Each structure stands twice: as structure tokens, then as C-alpha cells.
Amino acid sequence: MTLDVRTGPDGLDRCAWVGDDTEYGRYHDEEWGRPLHGDRALFEKMCLEGFQAGLSWITILRKRPRFREVFAGFEPAAIAAFGDDDIARLMADAGIIRNRLKIEATISNARLMLDLEPGELDAFLWSFAPASRARPSSFAEVPATTAESDAMSKALKKRGFRFVGSTTMYALMQSAGMVDDHVDGCWRAV
């Protein structure tokens, strides 16, 4: 076993980034790297990855229930109607990441969602998923960006979306299962 895999209390070998955190373990086992579809689900993931920029994912994961509550379940039509009072309310909420630019980007991105046909975001994002890629044998082989995440970021920015840089979009690709970066030896890598 490599340093990139760690045996959990349940005896399962997992990607070492999970550590001993139960919530991280659940996320790793049940969500990360599993194909995610649906406009609302992918919109939520895109927003949360944007909030994560510069922070650790566990911070976002622990705050995700509150994010879902204050951002109307990430329903784009509801968020698109947010105004200045909502921004002030969100900026005062210690249960989320209180970054005005990220909050405003989420609202702006929700408004852009209203111009899309049902299923369009799903199909658009998944169109950037690579056909196949070798599983990494270590985290040293996991890139921060790829040509596909660069292209996804550029295309989203061209449509007016914000907080969708290439590194953030690669993290989205990982979490939404567009790429599978579970390292060799992880029980999810079989």
C-alpha cells in the first residue's frame, strides 16, 4: 500500500486525503468520482466548487447543509430572484462562506441558468469529460487542471459564468465523476 491510500477504521483502503474524518469518508465513498447528472445537481456542485476556491473542500462539505438552506436548494429560478436584501442576509450568515464576490457570482450564474433549456447544463458540462484516462497510481499523478477543464472553463466564461476557473472546473469534474481520480489501492478504484 502507498502513502496515497489509508486503511479506515472499517478496514477499507481509501484515498489518503480522507484521513479519519467520518463525513469526508462518507463523501469519498458515496459521492466523489461517481457520475452526477441533472442541471440542478450540477449547478449546485459548480456553485459549491466556486465557494471552495482558496479553501479546503471539507470546509464546504461541513457547511453544505446551510448553503442548501440559504440558497433555496440551489434552485436557479429562486436564486435568480435574489436581490440586495438577500445579499446582505447571506453576508451576515456565519453558516456559509461570506464572500460577496462568490455570493454575487452564484446569483449571476443562476440568472444565466434561466436562459438554458432543461438538460442543457448537464449535456454541456459532460461534453468536456474525457473519453477515458488511466487511473492515477498516486496523487502526484493527479493534475490540478487538464486540457478539458481549461476548455470547460473557457466555454463557461464565454457564456458569462463566474468563479469557473480551470482548477475549480477540474475539481467539479472530479467530484461529479467526469474523471475518476481514486488512486490505485483505494477500494473505490476497483
Side-chain angles (χ1 to χ4, degrees):
M1 188 176 344
T2 70
L3 293 176
D4 294 316
V5 176
R6 182 175 176 176
T7 304
D10 57 2
L12 292 176
D13 294 333
R14 291 181 177 82
C15 298
W17 56 261
V18 171
D20 292 326
D21 190 281
T22 304
E23 180 62 14
Y24 236 4
R26 187 212 54 77
Y27 176 74
H28 169 274
D29 293 356
E30 299 173 12
E31 294 183 58
W32 194 73
R34 292 202 177 189
L36 178 68
H37 287 280
D39 290 343
R40 197 220 41 85
L42 288 166
F43 175 70
E44 174 183 340
K45 191 70 79 171
M46 184 170 62
C47 294
L48 291 176
E49 293 291 355
F51 274 102
Q52 185 270 333
L55 303 170
S56 68
W57 181 248
I58 192 63
T59 300
I60 302 302
L61 194 58
R62 289 184 178 137
K63 292 179 178 280
R64 183 167 62 173
R66 185 65 181 156
F67 270 109
R68 286 175 170 165
E69 185 178 339
V70 300
F71 279 102
F74 287 95
E75 182 57 47
I79 298 170
F82 284 10
D84 291 340
D85 289 345
D86 296 293
I87 293 171
R89 170 182 57 83
L90 294 166
M91 287 296 295
D93 194 321
I96 65 166
I97 305 304
R98 295 177 290 180
N99 179 302
R100 180 175 293 278
L101 293 176
K102 293 176 181 182
I103 290 168
E104 290 174 346
T106 299
I107 296 166
S108 174
N109 291 348
R111 291 174 180 155
L112 293 170
M113 289 289 295
L114 299 182
D115 295 332
L116 302 179
E117 295 295 323
E120 187 174 348
L121 181 68
D122 186 310
F124 179 75
L125 294 179
W126 275 90
S127 74
F128 295 96
S132 66
R133 194 179 91 189
R135 177 172 308 288
S137 60
S138 73
F139 278 114
E141 295 177 10
V142 176
T145 64
T146 61
E148 293 88 357
S149 69
D150 291 345
M152 179 189 284
S153 172
K154 184 176 179 181
L156 284 165
K157 288 177 181 178
K158 185 175 181 180
R159 288 180 171 219
F161 286 90
R162 295 165 41 198
F163 275 90
V164 291
S166 185
T167 301
T168 300
M169 291 303 93
Y170 189 71
L172 170 88
M173 294 175 88
Q174 290 174 304
S175 65
M178 294 173 195
V179 295
D180 184 356
D181 281 338
H182 289 281
V183 297
D184 283 334
C186 173
W187 79 270
R188 286 285 319 280
V190 293

